[in-house]
Amino acid sequence: MEQTQQRILVVEDERNIAAGLKLNFELEGYDVEVAGSARDAAALLAGSDHFALILLDVMLPDADGFQVCRRIRAAGDFTPVLMLTARDSTEDRVRGLEAGADDYITKPFELEELIARVRSMLRRRGWEQSSTAHVSHSLLRFGGAQVDFERGEVTVRGDAVSLTRLELDLLRYFADNPRKVCSRAELQAEVWKLDNYPNSRMVDNFILRLRKHFEEEPSSPKHFLVARGAGYKFVPDP
Ligand code: CA
């Protein structure tokens, strides 16, 4: 396994928090850059540094974190984003995930939990990058969609669509388990690699995202179906 230091971008204007995060992640062996505003973050992301993960605060002086996340995704950048939401607000979490964030943690957070969450996100990514080398054929076709998991290229009825890493991970898990009823806990453990953070809304929101991407009528889905009380199932060919 490669031992190059993974670089994390911390986007947070509160200097004490930013400095604390920088120090602690550096102690964990990561390389850390801090941006104190949306503008600084955009400048760093446009530069030559490669970031393995972005920690993105919702409250910034010149934009909110949701806007920043949307811009990152709109630019075709699918670096994992972990949002720091200011309150334990469902609305904030949903907005963050809808903006393309991969996960969120609410302030105030326990540093240990944040570090564990970051590790888990990076491990999942590392696993995925090393495992794709062994996949020789990973093309999924269903309902007018074509998904090349190796290249992360997706078209839906002829149009190119950008999926985040986690959206692709979830779709891939479904593709590997067609027609199987998958519980939310199973999806969270297998796709997010999060066994101990009960958070079924996260799964629900990602299902909504897949429906928006792929279903002709997201409100009456044909492929990403709810299995009442039990979870979800993917039906490639209804
Ligand atoms: Ca802030």
Side-chain angles (χ1 to χ4, degrees):
M1 191 148 175
E2 234 186 349
Q3 285 303 316
T4 51
Q5 260 185 333
Q6 290 182 298
R7 182 166 296 157
I8 295 175
L9 174 61
V10 173
V11 187
E12 165 64 284
D13 60 313
E14 285 160 81
R15 291 169 80 168
N16 290 341
I17 295 179
L21 291 173
K22 181 172 163 66
L23 175 68
N24 281 283
F25 277 101
E26 283 176 351
L27 290 172
E28 293 292 320
Y30 299 101
D31 204 3
V32 181
E33 294 277 349
V34 173
S37 66
R39 223 174 74 173
D40 289 355
L44 281 168
L45 287 167
S48 55
D49 284 349
H50 170 80
F51 293 100
L53 186 133
I54 302 168
L55 274 178
L56 176 57
D57 189 44
V58 169
M59 306 280 281
L60 297 169
D62 53 344
D64 67 42
F66 308 117
Q67 289 171 289
V68 174
C69 191
R70 268 194 296 274
R71 283 180 210 151
I72 292 171
R73 296 302 184 231
D77 181 343
F78 296 105
T79 305
V81 171
L82 175 60
M83 299 218 46
L84 309 175
T85 65
R87 343 171 252 289
D88 193 7
S89 144
T90 305
E91 193 197 339
D92 272 10
R93 299 182 208 170
V94 174
R95 283 181 73 194
L97 295 171
E98 282 175 355
D102 296 278
D103 202 355
Y104 56 81
I105 190 165
T106 50
K107 284 179 168 178
F109 48 79
E110 295 290 332
L111 195 60
E112 289 74 18
E113 188 194 346
L114 176 62
I115 290 170
R117 199 79 75 87
V118 165
R119 276 223 193 90
S120 156
M121 289 173 77
L122 291 173
R123 202 166 43 233
R124 183 179 58 230
R125 197 170 171 80
W127 169 82
E128 170 190 283
Q129 283 169 348
S130 59
S131 68
T132 50
H134 308 295
V135 178
S136 54
H137 185 77
S138 57
L139 208 59
L140 167 70
R141 287 195 182 89
F142 72 99
Q146 181 166 308
V147 182
D148 183 330
F149 287 106
E150 266 172 271
R151 297 182 176 177
E153 289 172 359
V154 181
T155 57
V156 180
R157 291 173 280 282
D159 294 326
V161 172
S162 287
L163 264 65
T164 68
R165 270 294 140 205
L166 268 169
E167 290 168 352
L168 277 172
D169 288 355
L170 178 59
L171 182 59
R172 180 160 203 155
Y173 189 75
F174 277 134
D176 289 342
N177 297 276
R179 295 181 180 272
K180 178 188 174 225
V181 174
C182 304
S183 72
R184 291 173 178 82
E186 172 186 344
L187 293 171
Q188 203 169 297
E190 296 293 334
V191 177
W192 279 261
K193 310 294 175 199
L194 293 173
D195 295 313
N196 299 314
Y197 301 106
N199 183 2
S200 61
R201 284 194 64 99
M202 187 167 74
V203 175
D204 294 345
N205 282 303
F206 271 75
I207 299 289
L208 293 180
R209 284 160 62 164
L210 290 184
R211 285 178 179 162
K212 259 192 225 166
H213 287 310
F214 293 104
E215 299 281 2
E216 258 176 312
E217 286 181 67
S219 55
S220 49
K222 292 185 176 132
H223 302 288
F224 300 95
L225 305 181
V226 80
R228 214 185 313 175
Y232 292 99
K233 68 176 172 180
F234 172 57
V235 180
D237 191 11

